């Protein structure tokens, strides 16, 4: 088993604490009603990889940037306005000319129901031909970003890798350049069957993700992600993933780090769904041959589960960046993810003080 330690570059040597590569969509949220009966939508921005950069910036006060692309029209500029409100640097975002119709290039929309009780959350993305999915190797000056400016941590994931034939190559180009310059690379497997369905399904997902996994330092995902993307089965888990034996899960992670000895750490959320609004929630980190379990949040009441895993990732990364301690990292991740699911939208609305209060056992009494 690997005995590597995360060797994170000093903040003083780098322009950014974290940079994310991924697509950002406009999220249209019907609130308490359904997409099919909505008369108005609330507007947020969201994207699996971007949400991590925004969480680190807004909750944890770190310097973050986004690598992405938008069609230069009113929807793209709406996304820009939302991203800038979150404080994430957009210097490495490419603006592509809009053709007036979206025949060749456009911006993604994501209609998302939060779900309630026995009615699960529903996502209905509209993201064909998006600008971010059309990025190709050579489009981004990674050498300038990682070599000249300096980045402590680079994050991307399996949603972006699934968007087109070229996005896996962009991910590989990015992670190889990051590693060359001593930047820690994290990757959230984030398996979405709907994204892979039309481009080779399960088999293609495994082929792409197993190739990328060879260049990843910190692998993040839930139990379904590790199985679907890397072909690593968890014994005794049914197809609804209704009952997870943490020990069996740990055995799977031990197989993963033998197969990918480059993994310095893995981070995993464990979620048992009682209903859309009540989940058991916790997390496990493997690092340096040891497992670290977070505090558990049994019967956690949820307002909006979308983005909970991304908020786990940003808390986990913050813990590693600031302390290097896997136990602190897993608890920052679990607490931040739990709190982020109590507010609407993909992105966090909480403070580091609130996260640390939950980590220290603080309750939900009124603060006045």
């Amino acid at each position: 088993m690997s005995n590597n330690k995360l060797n994170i570059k000093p903040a003083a040597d780098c322009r950014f604490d974290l940079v994310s590569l991924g697509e950002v969509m406009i999220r249209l949220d019907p609130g308490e009603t359904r997409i099919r009966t909505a008369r108005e939508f609330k507007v947020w921005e969201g994207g699996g990889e971007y949400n991590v950069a925004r969480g680190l910036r807004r909750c944890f006060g770190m310097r973050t940037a986004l690598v992405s692309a938008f069609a230069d029209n009113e929807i793209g500029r709406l996304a820009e306005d939302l991203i800038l409100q979150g404080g994430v640097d957009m210097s490495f975002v490419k603006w592509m000319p809009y053709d007036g119709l979206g025949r060749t290039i456009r911006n993604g929309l994501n209609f998302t129901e939060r779900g309630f009780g026995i009615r699960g959350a529903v996502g209905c993305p509209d993201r064909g031909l998006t600008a971010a999915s059309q990025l190709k190797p050579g489009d981004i000056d990674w050498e300038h970003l990682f070599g000249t400016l300096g980045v402590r941590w680079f994050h991307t994931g399996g949603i972006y890798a699934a968007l087109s034939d070229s996005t896996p190559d962009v991910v590989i180009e990015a992670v190889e350049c990051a590693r060359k310059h001593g930047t820690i690379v994290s990757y959230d497997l984030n398996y979405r069957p709907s994204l892979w369905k039309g481009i080779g399904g399960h088999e293609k997902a495994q082929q792409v993700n197993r190739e990328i996994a060879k260049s990843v330092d910190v692998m993040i995902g839930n139990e379904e992600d590790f199985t679907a993307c890397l072909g690593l089965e968890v014994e005794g888990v049914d197809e609804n993933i209704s009952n997870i034996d943490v020990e069996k899960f740990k055995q799977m992670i031990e197989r993963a780090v033998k197969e990918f000895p480059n993994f310095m750490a893995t981070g995993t959320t464990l979620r048992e769904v009682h209903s859309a609004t009540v989940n058991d929630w916790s997390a496990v980190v493997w690092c340096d041959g040891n497992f670290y379990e977070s505090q558990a949040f049994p019967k956690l009441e949820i307002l909006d589960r979308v983005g909970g895993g991304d908020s786990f990732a940003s808390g986990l990364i913050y813990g590693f960046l600031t302390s290097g301690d896997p136990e602190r990292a897993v608890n920052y991740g679990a607490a931040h993810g739990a709190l982020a699911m109590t507010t609407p939208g993909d992105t966090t609305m909480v403070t580091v003080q609130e996260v640390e209060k939950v980590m220290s056992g603080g309750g939900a009494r009124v603060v006045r």
Side-chain angles (χ1 to χ4, degrees):
M1 227 180 281
S2 168
N3 237 352
N4 298 323
K5 279 203 163 45
L6 285 172
N7 187 12
I8 301 168
K9 296 203 280 192
D13 296 350
C14 296
R15 172 76 62 86
F16 298 110
D17 296 304
L18 174 133
V19 170
S20 282
L21 163 67
E23 178 169 87
V24 183
M25 294 188 290
I26 298 295
R27 173 176 166 179
L28 296 160
D29 180 352
E32 293 171 0
T33 185
R34 306 207 63 185
I35 296 164
R36 60 175 60 201
T37 55
R39 296 296 176 269
E40 57 185 13
F41 293 89
K42 273 230 164 90
V43 175
W44 317 95
E45 86 283 22
E49 300 84 8
Y50 159 77
N51 293 342
V52 176
R54 193 187 188 283
L56 269 166
R57 174 67 189 87
R58 290 298 286 148
C59 178
F60 298 108
M62 309 217 84
R63 305 160 302 163
T64 66
L66 169 69
V67 178
S68 193
F70 294 101
D72 193 352
N73 62 15
E74 294 304 299
I75 296 168
R77 293 300 173 179
L78 170 59
E80 176 189 43
D81 193 61
L82 293 163
I83 292 165
L84 291 176
Q85 286 179 52
V88 176
D89 188 291
M90 294 185 69
S91 309
F92 283 82
V93 168
K94 285 183 77 75
W95 291 93
M96 299 184 178
Y98 181 58
D99 63 12
L101 188 66
R103 241 188 224 105
T104 57
I105 203 149
R106 53 193 289 272
N107 297 305
L109 306 176
N110 190 19
F111 295 82
T112 305
E113 291 178 15
R114 294 179 215 161
F116 186 85
I118 59 169
R119 177 172 59 84
V122 175
C124 184
D126 175 21
R127 70 197 306 175
L129 303 176
T130 55
S133 73
Q134 295 184 54
L135 284 176
K136 293 176 177 55
D139 282 350
I140 304 295
D141 189 346
W142 299 111
E143 199 60 42
H144 176 62
L145 179 57
F146 295 118
T148 307
L149 298 179
V151 179
R152 300 174 75 199
W153 195 295
F154 176 69
H155 179 75
T156 188
I159 292 178
Y160 187 67
L163 293 187
S164 71
D165 288 338
S166 65
T167 53
D169 298 329
V170 176
V171 170
I172 288 167
E173 178 188 51
V175 298
E176 287 179 353
C177 188
R179 294 193 92 195
K180 181 174 98 174
H181 290 289
T183 298
I184 299 294
V185 172
S186 62
Y187 185 85
D188 191 331
L189 290 162
N190 249 335
Y191 180 61
R192 299 287 185 272
S194 58
L195 291 180
W196 292 99
K197 190 165 57 178
I199 54 168
H202 223 139
E203 198 176 320
K204 181 72 170 176
Q206 286 196 13
Q207 180 194 331
V208 167
N209 283 294
R210 287 178 66 82
E211 184 59 35
I212 293 167
K214 296 172 189 170
S215 300
V216 170
D217 300 309
V218 180
M219 185 60 87
I220 299 169
N222 63 26
E223 62 292 328
E224 181 189 15
D225 296 332
F226 277 90
T227 299
C229 297
L230 301 181
L232 296 157
E233 301 288 336
V234 184
E235 286 179 46
V237 173
D238 64 27
E239 66 178 278
N240 297 317
I241 316 177
S242 58
N243 189 25
I244 300 156
D245 180 338
V246 175
E247 291 312 310
K248 293 276 194 335
F249 185 77
K250 288 178 178 178
Q251 288 166 19
M252 183 275 289
I253 293 293
E254 285 174 342
R255 289 199 302 280
V257 298
K258 277 186 183 135
E259 195 165 338
F260 297 97
N262 49 291
F263 290 175
M264 297 185 198
T266 70
T268 305
T269 57
L270 298 172
R271 183 196 296 267
E272 188 166 339
V273 177
H274 299 288
S275 74
T277 30
V278 177
N279 294 182
D280 293 343
W281 169 263
S282 64
V284 178
V285 160
W286 173 91
C287 187
D288 262 355
N290 297 307
F291 285 99
Y292 303 86
E293 292 185 43
S294 76
Q295 69 185 111
F297 297 90
K299 303 287 196 303
L300 179 69
E301 291 180 274
I302 290 171
L303 179 69
D304 183 350
R305 70 167 275 175
V306 180
D310 304 329
S311 294
F312 162 74
S314 58
L316 177 80
I317 293 166
Y318 175 74
F320 276 127
L321 284 171
T322 54
S323 72
D325 177 357
E327 190 158 14
R328 276 187 79 67
V330 73
N331 278 300
Y332 268 113
H336 187 225
L339 281 166
M341 291 186 288
T342 67
T343 58
D346 282 33
T347 56
T348 183
M349 294 184 184
V350 301
T351 66
V352 65
Q353 290 83 6
E354 288 171 324
V355 173
E356 288 171 348
K357 178 184 172 189
V358 167
M359 287 167 66
S360 66
R365 291 177 68 85
V366 176
V367 178
R368 345 177 187 250

